[in-house]
Amino acid sequence: MSEHVALLTTGGTIASSRDEHGVSRPVAGAGIELDGVRVREVMSKDSSALNFTDLDTIRTATADALAEDGCVGVVVLHGTDTMEESALYVDLFHDDERPVVFTGAQRTSDHPDPDGPSNIAAAVAAAQSEQGVLIAFGGRVLPARGAIKKHTTELDAFRSAAIPRPKPLQWKPVAGIRVDIVALYPGADGVQIDASREAGASGIVLEALGSGNTNATVVHAVKQAVAAGVHVVVTTRVPFGETSPTYGGGGGGHDLVDAGAVFSRELRAGQARIQLAALVAVGASDVVVHNSFS
C-alpha cells in the first residue's frame, strides 16, 4: 500500500457551514481531496459536545489509522473548543514515532476567507515530517501537552507551555469515569466539591487562584474528598506560569497539599482533567498521580 497521511474528520468549525440565520452547524464529511491523503469520517460533532466516549473513539481511530500499511502520520480535524483536551488524550497513550496532528478552523468552510485550508496544509506537512502529538494552527506547530486556546476568534488561537512529556500510558478507555472541574473564587465554599464527591467523582480538578490558593473552607472540603478516595488536583485560573504550593495561612497551596491534593504545575484545568481521568482509567495509585503531575 502506498505511503499516505490519514486524515480523520470529527466535525467542528472546519467542517461547518452557516445556515440562513447565520448559525454554524457541522455537516457530514469535510469535502477534502488531497494527493497522498486518505480521508475517513469518524464523527460529525461540535467539539463542545464531545464526551469521554467520543475521546475513546478518536483515540481508537488514530491507532487504527497508524496500523494501516503505508500510513506515515495522522491528521485529526477537530473543533477548537476542546482540541487541547482531545490532543492531550491521544498524547497520553501515544507510543509511536509517527505524528498525530490536530487542526481545525476559526472560520466556517463557507467563509469568504476560510482558515481551514491553510491549517490542513500545515497539519499534513507536519504529519509527514514531525514526531509526537501536535496542534498545527494559525501558522504554529505546537506540542499537544500544555496547549491552551488563548483567544476565542483570532486565527492564531493556540499557545503551548511546551511541558516535558511523560512515558506513555497503556491505553484504557475513560468512558464512564467522572472527573469534575471546580472553579474557585473569593468566598468560595465546599458545596461544589461536596456535590462532586457525592455524585461519585473519581477525581476533582480545582481551578484555584494565583499560584494555587483558596481559603480554609475549601481546604476542609478537599480533605474530606481525599479521605473518601477522591483524587484532587490543583491548577490555576491564571493562563500561564507554574503553580506552587508555597502559601500557608489555612487556605494556601501548602494547606491544600496537607489536605491531600496534588499540584498540576503546568497543565491547566481542561488538560489536567483529561490526564487525571486517564490515570484513573489505568488504575493509578496516589503515588503515580502525584508523580505524573509534579
Side-chain angles (χ1 to χ4, degrees):
M1 188 175 291
S2 61
E3 289 191 349
H4 65 277
V5 170
L7 190 149
L8 311 180
T9 70
T10 68
T13 300
I14 196 166
S16 296
S17 60
R18 293 182 181 270
D19 63 19
E20 65 273 18
H21 304 293
V23 178
S24 299
R25 303 184 190 279
V27 294
I32 299 167
E33 294 184 7
L34 296 171
D35 291 339
V37 175
R38 297 187 179 182
V39 181
R40 178 191 303 168
E41 182 176 335
V42 178
M43 63 185 70
S44 182
K45 298 180 72 171
D46 285 325
S47 69
S48 57
L50 299 181
N51 55 35
F52 277 174
T53 299
D54 295 321
L55 265 62
D56 287 334
T57 298
I58 292 170
R59 185 268 161 195
T60 299
T62 62
D64 289 347
L66 288 169
E68 293 180 354
D69 290 341
C71 181
V72 299
V74 177
V75 170
V76 181
L77 302 192
H78 195 286
T80 60
D81 284 355
T82 63
M83 186 183 294
E84 63 209 59
E85 280 97 341
S86 294
L88 179 71
Y89 184 62
V90 172
D91 181 70
L92 287 168
F93 304 102
H94 188 63
D95 60 356
D96 194 302
E97 292 185 355
R98 292 169 294 175
V100 176
V101 187
F102 282 73
T103 195
Q106 293 280 60
R107 295 171 175 168
T108 56
S109 59
D110 58 350
H111 190 280
D113 185 22
D115 58 324
S118 61
N119 285 341
I120 291 173
V124 170
Q128 295 169 325
S129 61
E130 302 287 345
Q131 290 186 346
V133 182
L134 307 163
I135 291 176
F137 206 97
R140 299 177 188 269
V141 178
L142 305 169
R145 186 170 181 82
I148 185 171
K149 186 179 180 182
K150 57 92 180 176
H151 200 281
T152 56
T153 58
E154 284 182 356
L155 302 188
D156 179 14
F158 288 87
R159 293 293 184 272
S160 179
I163 307 168
R165 184 172 178 260
K167 181 180 179 180
L169 300 170
Q170 186 69 35
W171 182 68
K172 297 288 184 182
V174 292
I177 293 173
R178 182 180 185 121
V179 175
D180 293 334
I181 296 175
V182 174
L184 301 181
Y185 45 84
D189 57 24
V191 169
Q192 291 174 314
I193 296 171
D194 294 344
S196 292
R197 170 171 55 83
E198 292 167 4
S202 297
I204 298 171
V205 174
L206 300 181
E207 193 172 46
L209 308 176
S211 59
N213 304 304
T214 182
N215 60 55
T217 301
V218 170
V219 170
H220 178 69
V222 167
K223 188 173 184 178
Q224 290 184 312
V226 172
V230 181
H231 296 288
V232 178
V233 172
V234 181
T235 68
T236 174
R237 69 181 186 176
V238 182
F240 294 101
E242 287 191 3
T243 61
S244 178
T246 55
Y247 285 90
H254 179 77
D255 303 298
L256 284 168
V257 170
D258 282 348
V262 172
F263 266 58
S264 173
R265 294 193 179 276
E266 291 280 6
L267 295 182
R268 290 317 187 247
Q271 288 201 335
R273 174 177 176 261
I274 296 302
Q275 178 160 311
L276 182 52
L279 291 168
V280 169
V282 300
S285 66
D286 289 339
V287 172
V288 174
V289 170
H290 186 278
N291 290 337
S292 296
F293 280 98
S294 298

